[in-house]
């Protein structure tokens, strides 16, 4: 059952980097081995405003979280265990399966987070209340 996702299912991904004198290219070639991308979106936020995102889980949507500019603290919780990732480079990404609670704290001004999703937007796929998430996770 998909709501059995655990912290061990969350994976840190390091994108391939190709450097030249002028620039760095961050390559994510095999994303379709994880899931087919159905939606991509970016979010901006500032540390000065104590900007926080996430605070939800998904029933259907798998995601890969990246931070091409700035830095975030990205925390995942499976109902039992919690783990935090510092995503402070365009080379870092984190894969999040369904039924994992996420919390994102912006650490630098003008931070940009880009999310690659396995599903189109569907409000019914969200678990927005922490207590509801815990009830679902504790059923199994």
């Amino acid at each position: 059952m998909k709501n059995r996702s655990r912290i061990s299912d969350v994976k840190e991904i390091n994108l391939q980097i190709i450097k030249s004198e002028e620039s760095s290219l961050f390559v994510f070639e095999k994303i379709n081995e994880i899931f087919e991308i159905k939606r991509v979106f970016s979010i901006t936020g500032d540390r000065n405003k104590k900007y926080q995102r996430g605070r939800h889980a998904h029933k259907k949507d798998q995601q890969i979280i990246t931070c091409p500019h700035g830095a975030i603290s990205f925390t995942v919780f499976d109902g039992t265990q919690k783990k935090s990732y510092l995503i402070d480079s365009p080379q870092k990404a984190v894969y999040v399966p369904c039924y994992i609670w996420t919390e994102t704290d912006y650490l630098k001004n003008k931070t940009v987070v880009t999310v690659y999703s396995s599903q189109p937007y569907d409000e019914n796929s969200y678990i927005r209340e922490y207590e509801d998430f815990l009830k679902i996770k504790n059923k199994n």
Side-chain angles (χ1 to χ4, degrees):
M1 190 175 271
K2 289 189 181 240
N3 66 355
R4 294 188 182 267
S5 294
R6 297 284 176 232
I7 287 295
S8 59
D9 299 319
V10 177
K11 302 293 181 200
E12 193 166 7
I13 301 166
N14 287 306
L15 305 182
Q16 178 186 358
I17 184 169
I18 301 170
K19 289 187 177 191
S20 69
E21 286 184 30
E22 300 83 27
S23 64
S24 295
L25 177 69
F26 299 93
V27 181
F28 200 157
E29 285 187 330
K30 297 185 179 184
I31 192 169
N32 286 337
E33 291 178 7
I34 301 170
F35 60 75
E36 181 182 344
I37 298 172
K38 302 266 177 85
R39 178 173 60 128
V40 177
F41 60 94
S42 294
I43 310 147
T44 60
D46 283 341
R47 179 177 183 252
N48 290 341
K49 298 176 184 170
K50 296 192 186 254
Y51 195 63
Q52 300 174 326
R53 294 281 306 181
R55 276 84 181 147
H56 65 264
H58 291 276
K59 298 173 192 171
K60 300 179 206 173
D61 198 10
Q62 302 171 70
Q63 296 184 330
I64 294 174
I65 312 300
T66 65
C67 187
H69 181 76
I72 61 171
S73 173
F74 185 70
T75 302
V76 294
F77 180 60
D78 67 5
T80 304
Q81 295 182 311
K82 188 179 276 194
K83 185 171 183 178
S84 291
Y85 296 88
L86 175 62
I87 307 177
D88 60 352
S89 159
Q91 191 174 9
K92 295 179 182 179
V94 175
Y95 163 72
V96 182
C98 305
Y99 290 97
I100 296 289
W101 185 264
T102 65
E103 298 181 353
T104 306
D105 294 301
Y106 287 65
L107 304 176
K108 293 185 178 179
N109 294 333
K110 299 184 181 176
T111 290
V112 176
V113 173
T114 300
V115 179
Y116 301 85
S117 296
S118 68
Q119 299 295 316
Y121 176 77
D122 177 4
E123 181 58 35
N124 293 324
S125 174
Y126 284 79
I127 306 167
R128 294 201 181 269
E129 297 299 324
Y130 186 70
E131 294 303 320
D132 293 342
F133 170 75
L134 291 177
K135 286 178 191 173
I136 291 167
K137 293 300 282 193
N138 290 327
K139 280 184 181 178
N140 295 309

